[in-house]
Every structure is written in C-alpha cells, then in structure tokens.
Amino acid sequence: MQGTHGGRYFREYSLNHPVEVLVRGLVVLFPEPLNQKAEAVMISNGINMEGFMSSQITAGDFGEDTLVLTMEAQQRQKLLEMFPEAKEENVQVLTELVGDELEILDPYGGTLQSYGLCFETMNKSIKKLVKLLNEGE
C-alpha cells in the first residue's frame, strides 16, 4: 500500500495467519517522514506513526507469496509497467479486491479533510480485506 500508509493501520487487526505488512511508495527519492496531514489523521484515530520513514517499492518487494495492494487502478498499472516480474494476480486495487465500488483517492497535496476521507475509506476496505483473508483459511 502506499499513499496514506494504511499498512501500519492494517497491523491493528488480527489475522488468522502470520503476515508481514510493508508500506511502499511509487516515487520516493529519499526516505522522509510521514506527511503531517496524514500523521494528524492517524493520531486522531489512535494510531502511532512515530519514526515512520517512507520507502520506495523495488523489484525485491514482489514475490510468489506477496500481495501488493494499491489505492487506484492507475497505480496498479504503473507498477505492472515498472516491474515486469510482478504477476498481475498479485497486484490488486484494494477496493476492487474487497468488492467496494470506488477507488481510494490519493489525498496528496489536498486538505486535511481529504486525508480524513481517505483514511475512512481505507479503514472500511481494510476491515473487509481482513475478513476476506480470515475466511480464506
């Protein structure tokens, strides 16, 4: 996942099997801390992001047992173009995977409200993803 860093939030849920959740960005020129608006939204929702630093997605992030989730179809397409080793079935749009109609719009550069809306949408979709993964056991 990228954008508002849903991976750390994802860890708040209990899965029936062990899973490692990593957050990666599509364009990270150097490690940088969390966007202040995203951090404010996370803190207001009880999620501590202290010490978080962004990381660029690399070819090493794609593997047989890896599921890469994007917020938007455009991000998915870009990843598939950038990384030919990525299997299409292992790169999915989060909302499509869980059956939600709308994509999660990247709030980058937007208002605090747009970050809050992004968080709420991601929260809803992550809850559905956890249920889907747990039922698949």
Side-chain angles (χ1 to χ4, degrees):
M1 302 181 103
Q2 66 93 235
T4 57
H5 314 290
R8 181 91 40 117
Y9 181 68
F10 189 88
R11 294 181 188 130
E12 301 291 315
Y13 291 98
S14 176
L15 286 166
N16 293 341
H17 60 283
V19 66
E20 182 181 15
V21 179
L22 302 173
V23 178
R24 297 289 186 257
L26 285 173
V27 182
V28 181
L29 302 178
F30 53 87
E32 58 184 316
L34 187 62
N35 174 290
Q36 289 180 339
K37 291 175 186 173
E39 184 175 30
V41 169
M42 295 297 220
I43 289 171
S44 70
N45 284 279
I47 300 169
N48 182 357
M49 297 294 290
E50 188 175 347
F52 176 86
M53 297 297 279
S54 60
S55 299
Q56 172 71 32
I57 193 164
T58 67
D61 290 318
F62 297 90
E64 285 292 321
D65 296 328
T66 302
L67 174 61
V68 176
L69 299 170
T70 66
M71 297 186 339
E72 301 171 337
Q74 182 179 0
Q75 294 168 341
R76 178 182 184 268
Q77 187 59 41
K78 185 172 182 178
L79 283 175
L80 292 172
E81 290 169 5
M82 288 171 61
F83 301 100
E85 61 277 358
K87 292 185 176 183
E88 287 196 33
E89 63 271 16
N90 289 9
V91 181
Q92 299 289 326
V93 178
L94 172 60
T95 50
E96 285 181 12
L97 184 64
V98 300
D100 287 337
E101 290 183 29
L102 301 176
E103 296 177 333
I104 301 169
L105 298 179
D106 191 344
Y108 184 76
T111 64
L112 183 60
Q113 287 178 321
S114 64
Y115 279 82
L117 180 60
C118 178
F119 177 87
E120 289 174 20
T121 308
M122 191 175 288
N123 177 24
K124 178 180 145 193
S125 294
I126 288 174
K127 284 181 181 177
K128 289 181 179 180
L129 177 62
V130 169
K131 184 176 180 184
L132 182 71
L133 292 173
N134 284 340
E135 288 176 351
E137 283 297 297

